[in-house]
Amino acid sequence: MNKRYEDLEELMSTGEAREVKRAMAVRMSLLGFVRAEVALACCVSVQFVDKWKAIYLASGVEGLKLAYKGSPGYLKPREREDMINWIQEKKTITMEELKRYLKEEYDVFYSSNTSYTKLLEEANLSYKKTHKENSAKDEVKVKAKKKEIKDLIDKEREQIESGEIMYWMQDESHQLWGDICAYVWSKKGERTSIKMNNYRTSQTWYGAVNIYTGEFILDRAKKADTKYMIDFINWLIYRYKEARHVIIWDGASYHRSEGLRTYLEKLNGGLPESEWKVRLLRFAPNAPEQNPVEDIWLQGKNWVRKNFHRLSSFKEVTSMFETFLSGKVFKFNKIKQYLIPNI
């Protein structure tokens, strides 16, 4: 093939509109134009350019035509079974990896991603977002801590059910005005903006969920430190004067500060541990997913993002967040698992 790519020129002259656009994008790319320039000239995305260039290189100009159904090769029943087994052996796989393997091993190339997606679904894989996980997380410690909490709850179940003892899982959240930005459907070629004076304007929240009732309580604070942590505990005690409280949280520095220890010694007044007004437990380190309050914060922030169009100030942002979460009851599995024996 010469450098003019005459087969592409012919398709550009005789093909239908979509075929012409594909051929033009591929030809410009092969002639050395930058991908962004090609996309701009053809009014397409960079991904469009990459996709049809790859198809052309694999299947020639026939691959750019609307009637093209893929390469002549199709997976035979036994080959398809082997292919499914190969996919299932992998923990994760990309579409490009699957395409490359099919092409190299079976000389099969599909023009539509749907065919590849069906293979992945048949292998019982689903498309999902990856999640970050701390490499220092120790699963043995996580399981041991979960058992410790469950054993303690089982031991005090009668007092929990009567309201004499309240178990709380607690956490803090820092809400930024910029957090309101999210993905939305909007007109192509138009930028969707949210006006804000300072996207780093923030609000600190203290929250706790009652592990037995699912009640969630929420309070504002200027920042997360020992002083405001003690203020939150005092507020909790004031709301439920007759109860003793067990607070389960992470290992933040202000959760184990000297000031907090002094406060607790004074509050509990030398009583035996079983009679303390407030007891503290920590989750296993480096595993924030243990705490259901993390999921509650996410629900609140997602609600605000969905309603961004109704908000014109950070005061309205925090007000919507507070209104959505205050007084809600959360009884999802991450909470229930501590109340159900032998899980």
Side-chain angles (χ1 to χ4, degrees):
M1 184 183 297
N2 64 37
K3 292 184 179 180
R4 290 183 58 192
Y5 300 103
E6 293 178 352
D7 56 342
L8 293 172
E9 289 184 346
E10 182 179 352
L11 184 60
M12 288 165 59
S13 300
T14 61
E16 296 186 19
R18 282 180 288 172
E19 295 172 338
V20 171
K21 183 171 286 192
R22 295 170 187 175
M24 183 183 300
V26 172
R27 183 172 180 275
M28 288 183 67
S29 180
L30 292 173
L31 287 174
F33 286 89
V34 177
R35 295 157 67 228
E37 295 176 340
V38 177
L40 183 62
C42 299
C43 298
V44 297
S45 66
V46 171
Q47 291 77 12
F48 178 97
V49 178
D50 292 341
K51 171 186 174 181
W52 292 106
K53 180 180 178 181
I55 291 175
Y56 174 78
L57 293 176
S59 306
V61 75
E62 291 298 317
L64 306 183
K65 295 180 179 179
L66 297 178
Y68 184 69
K69 300 300 182 182
S71 71
Y74 289 90
L75 290 174
K76 298 175 183 178
R78 180 56 187 272
E79 292 174 338
R80 191 175 187 87
E81 182 180 342
D82 291 341
M83 190 70 218
I84 297 300
N85 291 335
W86 178 80
I87 295 172
Q88 289 176 334
E89 291 174 356
K90 295 182 170 294
K91 186 176 181 179
T92 63
I93 186 173
T94 65
M95 187 73 78
E96 293 306 315
E97 185 180 359
L98 177 58
K99 289 179 179 180
R100 184 168 56 251
Y101 186 84
L102 270 171
K103 182 65 180 174
E104 292 175 354
E105 295 296 321
Y106 300 103
D107 195 28
V108 170
F109 180 85
Y110 299 113
S111 61
S112 170
N113 282 342
T114 302
S115 299
Y116 298 103
T117 301
K118 287 180 179 179
L119 277 174
L120 295 169
E121 290 176 345
E122 194 172 335
N124 201 31
L125 269 66
S126 62
Y127 192 67
K128 61 187 70 173
K129 181 180 178 181
T130 57
H131 294 275
K132 58 186 178 182
E133 182 172 306
N134 195 318
S135 59
K137 175 181 173 181
D138 188 328
E139 288 291 353
V140 174
K141 290 183 178 179
V142 172
K143 290 180 180 179
K145 179 58 68 172
K146 180 179 175 181
K147 184 177 185 304
E148 176 188 341
I149 295 171
K150 281 180 58 62
D151 288 347
L152 189 56
I153 288 171
D154 287 340
K155 180 181 178 182
E156 299 182 329
R157 188 173 294 270
E158 287 187 13
Q159 294 103 309
I160 293 172
E161 292 177 352
S162 68
E164 181 182 344
I165 298 177
M166 291 185 170
Y167 271 72
W168 302 92
M169 291 188 172
Q170 192 278 332
D171 193 35
E172 301 84 45
S173 177
H174 305 284
Q175 186 181 21
L176 297 174
W177 196 350
D179 289 342
I180 195 175
C181 297
Y183 288 97
V184 296
W185 288 99
S186 60
K187 291 183 179 180
K188 291 183 179 179
E190 292 186 11
R191 184 185 178 106
T192 301
S193 302
I194 304 172
K195 293 182 179 180
M196 54 184 69
N197 298 326
N198 184 352
Y199 72 93
R200 295 189 65 82
T201 301
S202 65
Q203 173 64 57
T204 297
W205 297 98
Y206 281 75
V209 62
N210 185 310
I211 196 171
Y212 180 67
T213 66
E215 177 192 7
F216 184 68
I217 60 173
L218 182 69
D219 195 24
R220 294 173 182 248
K222 290 185 178 179
K223 59 181 178 178
D225 64 8
T226 298
K227 175 188 179 303
Y228 288 103
M229 188 70 256
I230 292 174
D231 286 347
F232 181 77
I233 295 174
N234 283 333
W235 180 62
L236 185 67
I237 295 171
Y238 178 78
R239 284 180 60 127
Y240 305 97
K241 298 181 179 68
E242 305 302 320
R244 301 198 305 276
H245 302 275
V246 178
I247 301 174
I248 310 169
W249 56 18
D250 60 31
S253 59
Y254 45 88
H255 290 170
R256 43 192 171 83
S257 67
E258 182 64 33
L260 184 62
R261 285 196 292 271
T262 301
Y263 162 78
L264 290 174
E265 288 173 2
K266 183 178 179 180
L267 177 69
N268 293 320
L271 295 170
E273 184 175 353
S274 60
E275 298 179 23
W276 284 358
K277 190 66 176 178
V278 173
R279 285 178 285 160
L280 304 178
L281 293 175
R282 286 188 214 154
F283 289 109
N286 306 309
E289 72 280 357
Q290 299 167 98
N291 194 339
V293 183
E294 293 276 352
D295 301 89
I296 294 172
W297 294 139
L298 182 60
Q299 288 187 39
K301 289 181 177 181
N302 283 341
W303 177 254
V304 172
R305 292 187 185 112
K306 289 177 182 178
N307 291 277
F308 76 94
H309 56 283
R310 298 166 52 190
L311 307 169
S312 58
S313 68
F314 188 62
K315 182 179 180 180
E316 291 179 353
V317 170
T318 57
S319 178
M320 176 175 284
F321 184 80
E322 185 173 31
T323 301
F324 178 78
L325 290 180
S326 293
K328 270 189 175 289
V329 173
F330 297 90
K331 289 188 176 182
F332 42 82
N333 288 335
K334 195 176 283 189
I335 297 175
K336 290 180 179 178
Q337 63 181 337
Y338 289 95
L339 298 172
I340 303 173
N342 304 320
I343 289 185

